[in-house]
Amino acid sequence: MSRSRSNSGAGELLVVLDRNSSAPLHQQLESGIRERIRQGLLAADTALPATRALAADLGLSRGVVVEAYQQLVAEGYLVSRAGGYTQVAPGAARIPQQGKAKAAAGGPPRIDFRYSRPDVTQFPRAAWLRSVRKVLNEMPHRSLAYLEGQGALELREALADYLNRVRGTSARAENMLICNGFAQGSRLLVQVLAAAGYRRLAVEDPSDDELRAVAAAAGLETIGVPVLESGLDVEALERSGADVVLVTAAHQFPTGAVTSAQTRAALVEWATRREALIIEDDYDAEYRYDREPIGALQGLAPDRVAYAGTASKTLAPGLRLGWLILPERLVEPMAAAKFADDRGSPVLDQLTFADFVTRGEFDRHLRRMRPRYRQLRDTLIRCLAEKTPDLRPVGVSAGLHVLTWLPADLSERDVMQAARDRGLGVYGLKPYWGQNAGPEGLVFGYGSLTEAAVVEGIDLLAEAIAAVRR
Amino acid sequence: MSRSRSNSGAGELLVVLDRNSSAPLHQQLESGIRERIRQGLLAADTALPATRALAADLGLSRGVVVEAYQQLVAEGYLVSRAGGYTQVAPGAARIPQQGKAKAAAGGPPRIDFRYSRPDVTQFPRAAWLRSVRKVLNEMPHRSLAYLEGQGALELREALADYLNRVRGTSARAENMLICNGFAQGSRLLVQVLAAAGYRRLAVEDPSDDELRAVAAAAGLETIGVPVLESGLDVEALERSGADVVLVTAAHQFPTGAVTSAQTRAALVEWATRREALIIEDDYDAEYRYDREPIGALQGLAPDRVAYAGTASKTLAPGLRLGWLILPERLVEPMAAAKFADDRGSPVLDQLTFADFVTRGEFDRHLRRMRPRYRQLRDTLIRCLAEKTPDLRPVGVSAGLHVLTWLPADLSERDVMQAARDRGLGVYGLKPYWGQNAGPEGLVFGYGSLTEAAVVEGIDLLAEAIAAVRR
């Protein structure tokens, strides 16, 4: 059987890309091709141009074209053929438009406000490659040999400079440790603390729940302490009998509260008096939109605070790059724990990131991302005010998420389900409550969405809420 | 104060590089500069050419020059100055030659037979960079988002193909897991097995001792089982009551024994009958010099063997790249354990290595390294036979180490100390024995040495032994 294979050139695709649009190029390319298939302009079995050729024609990196083709294959518009070419799928023109129709049950939502997704389409690939090239050309051979637990000196130096400048920390290469993201760093910390005799970990309530199971496995009791608008309730912390507390002081997750100067002082006073430890999860302080972020607690009390940072929100979670600034007494045991765990973090990523930070590329990337995220956030807040005015957003203008409380007549469960029926993913606050289950609300992550998706998403949410109330 | 700064061009350095020599170029450059300083041809305060200029003049990569300068700075011959240039150190011509003199106590030995150092100077930097570039240009954005515990599909596919072809395994992407080296992979495995009710881990005696503490922490009892010339003593394994055993079947560490076909069959029979698990640490099977390596045990009994491989011996330990082939029942719990541990291995290294393997660069690198290591090994064996004929080497022609037994009148301790007095690092077998402490011996790692260092090292060893016997 021979397959007819008419070839479509880039010209024939007639995709017009708008480089000033806020829609990523791969999405523009996707929707351009999708529309032409739907309009019957690209017939079934038409072979698309090779990714390399189309990328060259359109002046795009090939990855953008690959991404667009893969998305359309996933949606059923295109098929990948042996030999590496891509064809318009039979029947593709008849694929029901997802737009306003209900999404298929069970699939991922079409628009998804799930938290914790930075916009990885903006990962600075070219700048990162420049740093990799420099590292591969210049690093001494011994960097590639067996490592030490604390991490590459080059990265500890670069991050200490950066954090002291930007976050007001008191870091030196000697009291920093590189780890594979917050997940590993916080696990090792909890294990080392448990071994050192710490007994009770206080966590913000509500808060991310990831560390609770880890703490329990290490033999630490976990206790929730309420979060006020000014940060953690330090009087409740006092009563809790905790000897270690995990805080997101610069931008509380998920409420968005910023710890006030008074509460910061009270936290430090508590830790000093009780000889307790504060774990400061500084997960997204790089993204404060209305003013400079407050400095890290660590700078106030380097001996009482273990500071944790991550590249997962700023660059990409897939890098698995995280760092700790530790009180001196914890450096040795943590380096030993890290070494026992995995013999140190992979060195090439460490050296690459060190170069990336040192030559100012990290600052540059953040300067580029801040207005993008701010605009997404502003759009989200505006749409919520217009379309769902009784969902009250709380928290400061920062980060990659917004919490809104729900009015008394709506439940998280009903809204989530009605949204889901419309292809929309929204998420309740319930998983974040510990002992002190509080009011219901929704947590919107917007980091990886386009403005158009935010607008359409809140339209759908308003429809969903109307349906619940009907 | 102005500092006089006469500039030395590459010509003035007059360093002659011999590209056919087995000595790495950076070492040739180092010793060339060192000699000219010692001979007074490069005076104190003379500025050396910029690394980039000298690299261009000599047709070297800049990293080679940087490495050489750094080594000479470490030795005190050169000093790095603010502004990035490098000068001959004051008094450098009078630095005592280390050669035949005693090494300073406490410093690292001048020639070091410590095991576990592959020759990282041979890391294929250019080919690796090509793969990084391809990945950064082409990977879909979603690769950079949060990961899954099992590892990147691309790498699991590439390694499954490679291992099935080269090691006779029965791997599919679905039963592979990527981890940060053997250290993390084996720790997770032991933790998952302990949680699943396994109770007693048998290890080869002698063997690397790294997993014993991890097993104890996970609540597994560890028991040593003697190693014969044909591999593990399966009758002793039977009596041990173990339900899991760790073996280095293709090339036992440290004895160098290869597991015979009969012992392999007996191991599989034992595991099947007892419903036990074999952990196969296939750490250096890529380096068999006299014939094809025996296939992995895993291929004989995929349901009874958890296979572990690593890039630490073949490429570089600093990559922290390891992989497991798992029985199906262990895939889910291991992926969950890996995810809980660190949210998955960093993705860029995974995708880069996948590309590196897929385009045959890994095979090419191994083809290039095998004759180098074989020649080092042959030189070592020849020197041992000539200079220390009563140190009897055992084990097959493979890997990056050789074990020799010691004659009855020599103790590890005395030989190690006398060697150390001569700037030579040699290492006894003692740390590798468990319950069944056996005869004394020396384990020579040669992976990172030059031929000249091997020759001189065994000369020094002969001197050391003569001194012990005197």
Side-chain angles (χ1 to χ4, degrees):
Chain A
M1 281 192 341
S2 80
R3 191 191 306 277
S4 87
R5 187 180 163 192
S6 71
N7 240 293
S8 158
E12 202 176 324
L13 279 175
L14 273 181
V15 174
V16 178
L17 300 177
D18 174 5
R19 276 158 215 272
N20 297 318
S21 159
S22 68
L25 291 170
H26 74 96
Q27 276 184 11
Q28 295 187 39
L29 185 58
E30 267 164 54
S31 54
I33 299 173
R34 193 189 290 113
E35 278 315 301
R36 293 187 69 76
I37 293 173
R38 297 190 50 77
Q39 294 164 16
L41 299 174
L42 284 171
D45 294 339
T46 307
L48 268 73
T51 52
R52 197 177 299 275
L54 184 56
D57 281 352
L58 297 175
L60 297 173
S61 88
R62 191 174 155 218
V64 170
V65 180
V66 168
E67 171 99 336
Y69 280 15
Q70 283 175 337
Q71 177 62 33
L72 292 167
V73 167
E75 292 178 8
Y77 287 97
L78 301 179
V79 280
S80 289
R81 294 297 185 194
Y85 69 97
T86 306
Q87 278 183 322
V88 177
R94 293 184 304 278
I95 293 177
Q97 191 152 15
Q98 293 184 304
K100 304 283 167 181
K102 288 193 180 191
R110 193 170 57 80
I111 297 176
D112 197 355
F113 281 105
R114 185 185 293 279
Y115 175 64
S116 220
R117 297 190 174 170
D119 187 356
V120 292
T121 69
Q122 299 300 313
F123 182 78
R125 297 182 181 216
W128 193 263
L129 179 60
R130 280 196 296 277
S131 289
V132 176
R133 183 185 299 119
K134 185 157 191 279
V135 165
L136 281 169
N137 282 335
E138 298 186 6
M139 72 178 159
H141 292 308
R142 64 174 177 281
S143 298
L144 287 162
Y146 280 94
L147 311 166
E148 290 175 7
Q150 216 181 329
L153 179 62
E154 293 88 335
L155 181 54
R156 289 185 282 122
E157 281 174 347
L159 283 173
D161 284 351
Y162 167 78
L163 294 167
N164 293 344
R165 170 166 58 82
V166 168
R167 300 295 301 124
T169 53
S170 174
R172 293 163 298 118
E174 294 72 32
N175 67 349
M176 294 206 64
L177 182 133
I178 309 303
C179 49
N180 298 351
F182 179 74
Q184 186 193 40
S186 57
R187 174 175 58 79
L188 293 176
L189 197 49
V190 158
Q191 290 171 347
V192 162
L193 293 176
Y198 285 77
R199 285 293 159 257
R200 188 174 292 181
L201 170 70
V203 296
E204 297 165 328
D205 203 353
S207 66
D208 200 347
D209 62 340
E210 290 194 339
L211 203 56
R212 292 178 211 169
V214 173
L220 283 182
E221 187 189 347
T222 303
I223 185 160
V225 170
V227 176
L228 312 173
E229 271 192 46
S230 58
L232 198 72
D233 180 344
V234 182
E235 281 176 30
L237 172 64
E238 190 80 62
R239 288 192 302 272
S240 75
D243 44 18
V244 50
V245 63
L246 172 66
V247 293
T248 48
H251 187 223
Q252 207 273 330
F253 186 87
T255 67
V258 171
T259 304
S260 68
Q262 198 179 348
T263 300
R264 287 146 53 81
L267 271 170
V268 167
E269 193 277 326
W270 167 84
T272 307
R273 181 164 37 78
R274 301 281 291 237
E275 300 192 347
L277 186 79
I278 300 168
I279 304 176
E280 180 175 24
D281 178 7
D282 203 40
Y283 65 109
D284 77 352
E286 284 87 352
Y287 295 133
R288 179 83 194 244
Y289 309 123
D290 51 348
R291 41 158 289 183
E292 287 295 300
I294 63 163
L297 270 176
Q298 194 273 346
L300 301 180
D303 212 43
R304 288 288 141 213
V305 179
Y307 171 100
T310 173
S312 294
K313 307 293 184 283
T314 48
L315 280 167
L319 293 178
R320 308 309 309 132
L321 275 166
W323 47 90
L324 301 172
I325 312 174
L326 296 166
E328 214 159 289
R329 65 189 177 282
L330 289 177
V331 172
E332 284 281 331
M334 281 294 290
K338 168 72 179 165
F339 188 80
D341 217 57
D342 63 6
R343 306 288 181 272
S345 286
V347 75
L348 289 181
D349 290 336
Q350 288 191 69
L351 297 180
T352 300
F353 188 41
D355 181 71
F356 188 86
V357 171
T358 304
R359 40 164 129 193
E361 294 287 358
F362 193 45
D363 291 285
R364 201 164 298 135
H365 176 69
L366 292 170
R367 277 200 302 275
R368 201 165 63 82
M369 295 308 289
R370 255 181 230 111
R372 295 178 71 97
Y373 288 136
R374 177 183 191 147
Q375 193 171 341
L376 284 171
R377 184 189 171 88
D378 290 349
T379 301
L380 174 60
I381 298 285
R382 195 188 68 237
C383 292
L384 287 168
E386 285 171 11
K387 302 294 173 59
T388 59
D390 50 0
L391 265 55
R392 192 167 52 87
V394 290
V396 298
S397 181
L400 304 176
H401 75 279
V402 167
L403 167 67
T404 72
W405 303 115
L406 278 178
D409 67 323
L410 292 175
S411 75
E412 292 177 8
R413 210 191 53 173
D414 292 348
V415 175
M416 285 164 65
Q417 184 56 54
R420 192 60 193 242
D421 290 343
R422 287 158 180 79
L424 175 70
V426 292
Y427 300 90
L429 197 50
K430 195 163 305 195
Y432 303 119
W433 287 112
Q435 289 98 324
N436 313 286
E440 301 215 332
L442 296 176
V443 180
F444 296 83
Y446 51 79
S448 63
L449 296 179
T450 61
E451 270 199 82
V454 168
V455 172
E456 189 184 346
I458 302 304
D459 280 349
L460 291 172
L461 178 63
E463 281 182 36
I465 289 176
V468 169
R469 283 178 165 152
R470 197 170 297 140
Chain B
M1 282 190 346
S2 80
R3 190 190 305 278
S4 85
R5 186 178 165 193
S6 71
N7 240 292
S8 159
E12 202 177 324
L13 280 174
L14 275 180
V15 174
V16 179
L17 301 177
D18 174 4
R19 277 157 215 275
N20 297 319
S21 159
S22 67
L25 291 171
H26 74 96
Q27 276 185 9
Q28 295 186 40
L29 184 57
E30 267 163 55
S31 54
I33 298 172
R34 193 189 291 112
E35 278 314 300
R36 292 186 71 76
I37 293 173
R38 297 189 50 75
Q39 292 163 16
L41 298 174
L42 284 170
D45 295 336
T46 306
L48 268 75
T51 51
R52 197 177 300 277
L54 184 56
D57 281 352
L58 297 175
L60 296 173
S61 88
R62 189 172 158 220
V64 170
V65 180
V66 169
E67 170 99 336
Y69 279 16
Q70 284 175 336
Q71 177 61 33
L72 292 168
V73 167
E75 292 177 8
Y77 287 97
L78 301 180
V79 280
S80 288
R81 294 298 183 193
Y85 70 97
T86 305
Q87 279 183 321
V88 177
R94 293 185 304 278
I95 293 177
Q97 190 151 17
Q98 293 183 307
K100 303 284 168 183
K102 286 193 179 191
R110 194 170 55 82
I111 297 176
D112 197 353
F113 282 105
R114 185 185 294 279
Y115 175 63
S116 221
R117 299 189 172 169
D119 187 356
V120 290
T121 69
Q122 300 299 313
F123 182 77
R125 296 182 183 218
W128 194 263
L129 180 60
R130 279 195 296 278
S131 289
V132 176
R133 183 185 298 121
K134 183 157 192 280
V135 165
L136 280 169
N137 282 336
E138 299 185 6
M139 72 176 158
H141 293 308
R142 65 173 177 282
S143 298
L144 286 163
Y146 280 93
L147 311 167
E148 289 177 4
Q150 215 180 330
L153 179 63
E154 293 88 334
L155 180 54
R156 289 184 282 121
E157 280 174 347
L159 283 173
D161 285 352
Y162 166 78
L163 294 167
N164 293 345
R165 171 166 58 81
V166 168
R167 300 295 302 126
T169 53
S170 173
R172 292 162 299 117
E174 294 74 32
N175 66 350
M176 295 205 65
L177 182 133
I178 309 301
C179 49
N180 298 350
F182 179 73
Q184 185 192 42
S186 58
R187 173 174 58 79
L188 292 176
L189 197 49
V190 158
Q191 290 170 347
V192 163
L193 294 177
Y198 285 78
R199 287 291 161 256
R200 187 175 292 182
L201 169 69
V203 296
E204 297 165 329
D205 204 352
S207 66
D208 200 348
D209 61 341
E210 290 193 338
L211 204 56
R212 292 178 211 168
V214 173
L220 282 182
E221 186 189 349
T222 303
I223 186 161
V225 170
V227 177
L228 312 172
E229 271 191 48
S230 58
L232 197 72
D233 181 343
V234 182
E235 280 176 32
L237 172 65
E238 189 80 61
R239 288 191 302 272
S240 75
D243 44 18
V244 50
V245 63
L246 172 66
V247 293
T248 48
H251 186 224
Q252 207 273 331
F253 185 85
T255 65
V258 171
T259 305
S260 68
Q262 198 178 349
T263 301
R264 288 147 52 83
L267 270 171
V268 167
E269 194 277 324
W270 167 84
T272 307
R273 181 164 36 80
R274 302 280 289 237
E275 300 191 347
L277 186 78
I278 300 168
I279 304 175
E280 179 174 24
D281 178 5
D282 204 39
Y283 65 109
D284 77 353
E286 283 87 352
Y287 294 133
R288 178 81 194 245
Y289 308 123
D290 51 349
R291 41 158 289 184
E292 288 294 302
I294 63 163
L297 271 176
Q298 193 273 349
L300 301 179
D303 212 44
R304 289 287 141 214
V305 179
Y307 170 100
T310 174
S312 294
K313 308 293 184 284
T314 47
L315 281 167
L319 294 178
R320 308 308 311 132
L321 273 167
W323 46 90
L324 301 172
I325 312 173
L326 295 166
E328 215 158 290
R329 65 190 177 282
L330 289 176
V331 172
E332 283 282 329
M334 281 294 291
K338 168 72 179 166
F339 188 80
D341 217 57
D342 63 7
R343 306 287 182 273
S345 286
V347 75
L348 289 181
D349 290 337
Q350 289 190 68
L351 296 180
T352 301
F353 188 42
D355 181 72
F356 189 85
V357 170
T358 303
R359 39 165 129 193
E361 294 288 358
F362 193 46
D363 291 286
R364 201 164 298 134
H365 176 68
L366 292 170
R367 277 199 303 275
R368 200 165 63 82
M369 295 308 289
R370 254 179 232 114
R372 296 179 70 97
Y373 287 137
R374 178 184 188 146
Q375 194 172 340
L376 284 172
R377 184 189 171 88
D378 289 349
T379 301
L380 173 60
I381 298 286
R382 195 188 67 236
C383 291
L384 286 168
E386 285 171 11
K387 302 294 173 60
T388 59
D390 49 2
L391 264 56
R392 193 167 51 87
V394 290
V396 298
S397 181
L400 304 176
H401 75 277
V402 166
L403 166 67
T404 71
W405 302 117
L406 278 178
D409 67 324
L410 292 175
S411 77
E412 292 177 10
R413 212 191 51 173
D414 292 347
V415 174
M416 284 164 66
Q417 184 55 55
R420 193 57 194 243
D421 290 343
R422 287 158 181 79
L424 175 71
V426 292
Y427 301 90
L429 197 50
K430 195 164 304 195
Y432 303 118
W433 287 111
Q435 291 97 325
N436 312 288
E440 301 213 334
L442 297 176
V443 180
F444 296 84
Y446 51 79
S448 63
L449 297 179
T450 62
E451 269 199 83
V454 169
V455 172
E456 188 184 346
I458 302 305
D459 280 350
L460 291 172
L461 178 64
E463 280 180 37
I465 289 177
V468 169
R469 283 179 165 153
R470 197 170 299 138

